[in-house]
Amino acid sequence: MEAFRLANTLAENKSPYQVELVSAGPDKTIETEAGISLLGHSALTDKKWDTFVIDTLIITTTIASFGLYPAHTIEWISSQESRVRRICTVSGGIFALAQTGMLEGKHVTTHWRVMDEFAKHHPGVHLEEQPIWVKDGKIYSSAGMSSGIDLALNLIADDHGDRLAGEVTKELVMFLRRPADQAQLSFSLLAQYSSHRSLKTLQPWIHEHLAQELTVDVLADKLAMSRSTLIRIFKHELNTTPAKYIENIRLETAQRYLQMTTMNLDKIAAKCGFTSADVLRRVFQRNIGISPQAYRQQLAKED
């Protein structure tokens, strides 16, 4: 909701979104897992929702409410399939949408912690384990709370361009707007799980200096430690080498550029720190299994 509110605030023209928080229960009160209640704008029992034309329906529920959804809510969601432009879910909301049957044969994602549970109850749905959000036709699903924000930002970009989405991202003080194919547990996030202070300091510095030569010596000098100590820390904390970590960060960044810009491979390679477009192609083929050009074409077909 905050992402769309900021889009309204920052848009050059009139506010592009009218956002309403609707409770599926008998009144406007929405209980949350955080132990606080939200007061929605209305309840789904309001007669206006029988005929009101909705552009984007976003469904979110607590994980604990699985199997407890009111029957009239599932019926109402089903009735929206042919009426709305797009239907989105955040985290547990995918369970409610799946009960309508409209996800059969579709590709979706959800939070990594409940994937096994979802797959057990909905074997006819293709569950994507890696991406933070997935688009299949008019259905968008996101993995968790923060990825719900990423999804919202990408919806804003689709509707009103990357510039407005970028301004909203900046206003939210987010590190970056992640594309759909960003892994739920990516190398960009891996170092943040480490308890080692030096790695947490080094990670944002690496992102800011990807175009530079980032050898083991450069990284060791940055942290004022020996090569052997740096290598030992990476092995112990991240189960990888400094060189492989840098390569994966560069690869993830290149994927974002391929999805979110029209820059050519030479420019992307330079920005990500690959010595040439040919090196980028080889790294991409070895890790992703396809060429950067094929990857970009595949994304264009999905759009």
Side-chain angles (χ1 to χ4, degrees):
M1 288 188 68
E2 181 67 0
F4 292 116
R5 183 193 72 81
L6 287 170
N8 285 342
T9 301
L10 298 170
E12 294 180 355
N13 302 319
K14 64 180 182 179
S15 299
Y17 296 105
Q18 176 188 342
V19 183
E20 291 210 33
L21 178 62
V22 184
S23 167
D27 55 36
K28 298 179 183 180
T29 304
I30 301 171
E31 301 295 337
T32 73
E33 289 178 311
I36 60 174
S37 299
L38 300 176
L39 184 63
H41 297 101
S42 64
L44 196 56
T45 51
D46 189 323
K47 291 298 182 183
K48 85 170 185 176
W49 298 115
D50 294 337
T51 56
F52 192 88
V53 178
I54 299 169
D55 176 83
T56 302
L57 174 63
I58 302 177
I59 305 167
T60 182
T61 73
T62 64
I63 299 298
S65 63
F66 169 64
L68 302 176
Y69 312 122
H72 77 274
T73 301
I74 303 302
E75 293 172 3
W76 181 85
I77 294 173
S78 298
S79 72
Q80 299 301 308
E81 182 177 9
S82 61
R83 300 176 59 189
V84 302
R85 180 163 67 99
R86 55 196 178 195
I87 302 177
C88 312
T89 66
V90 178
S91 190
I94 194 73
F95 285 89
L97 186 59
Q99 283 194 213
T100 67
M102 71 175 70
L103 294 184
E104 290 298 304
K106 294 286 189 180
H107 290 264
V108 303
T109 194
T110 187
H111 194 284
W112 58 267
R113 191 179 295 279
V114 296
M115 282 188 175
D116 289 344
E117 184 74 9
F118 184 87
K120 181 174 68 175
H121 287 88
H122 304 286
V125 182
H126 300 294
L127 191 58
E128 302 284 348
E129 296 184 0
Q130 289 296 320
I132 59 170
W133 60 273
V134 170
K135 175 189 176 186
D136 189 338
K138 67 194 299 182
I139 305 294
Y140 297 71
S141 52
S142 59
M145 290 176 284
S146 64
S147 58
I149 299 174
D150 290 300
L151 174 57
L153 291 169
N154 282 278
L155 295 179
I156 293 168
D158 287 347
D159 295 341
H160 304 288
D162 286 325
R163 180 177 178 181
L164 179 58
E167 291 176 354
V168 173
T169 303
K170 187 193 306 181
E171 197 72 18
L172 288 169
V173 199
M174 294 180 66
F175 185 67
L176 52 83
R177 171 165 59 96
R178 297 176 293 174
D181 67 326
Q182 178 75 62
Q184 291 191 30
L185 300 176
S186 69
F187 275 86
S188 296
L189 299 176
L190 192 58
Q192 295 180 1
Y193 297 150
S194 170
S195 60
H196 202 286
R197 182 176 298 178
S198 295
L199 284 183
K200 291 185 177 181
T201 301
L202 189 62
Q203 187 200 28
W205 185 87
I206 288 173
H207 278 277
E208 293 167 4
H209 296 82
L210 276 183
Q212 300 179 15
E213 185 179 14
L214 297 177
T215 64
V216 175
D217 288 332
V218 170
L219 300 181
D221 287 344
K222 173 64 181 175
L223 296 179
M225 64 176 57
S226 68
R227 286 171 50 93
S228 59
T229 299
L230 179 71
I231 293 171
R232 187 169 62 252
I233 290 173
F234 266 81
K235 179 63 176 177
H236 181 267
E237 296 290 325
L238 305 180
N239 196 31
T240 189
T241 65
K244 186 61 178 176
Y245 179 81
I246 296 296
E247 180 181 278
N248 278 283
I249 293 296
R250 284 175 166 154
L251 182 61
E252 288 179 351
T253 305
Q255 287 178 269
R256 289 196 295 271
Y257 279 128
L258 286 166
Q259 177 165 4
M260 302 171 68
T261 76
T262 58
M263 285 191 294
N264 61 40
L265 284 188
D266 289 321
K267 191 168 184 179
I268 292 175
K271 280 185 167 291
C272 296
F274 293 103
T275 54
S276 69
D278 284 338
V279 172
L280 171 57
R281 289 188 186 95
R282 289 198 296 271
V283 172
F284 215 92
Q285 187 73 46
R286 184 172 68 247
N287 288 275
I288 308 299
I290 58 175
S291 69
Q293 294 95 328
Y295 180 80
R296 179 173 265 172
Q297 291 168 1
Q298 179 178 309
L299 293 171
K301 289 178 182 178
E302 291 174 358
D303 288 342

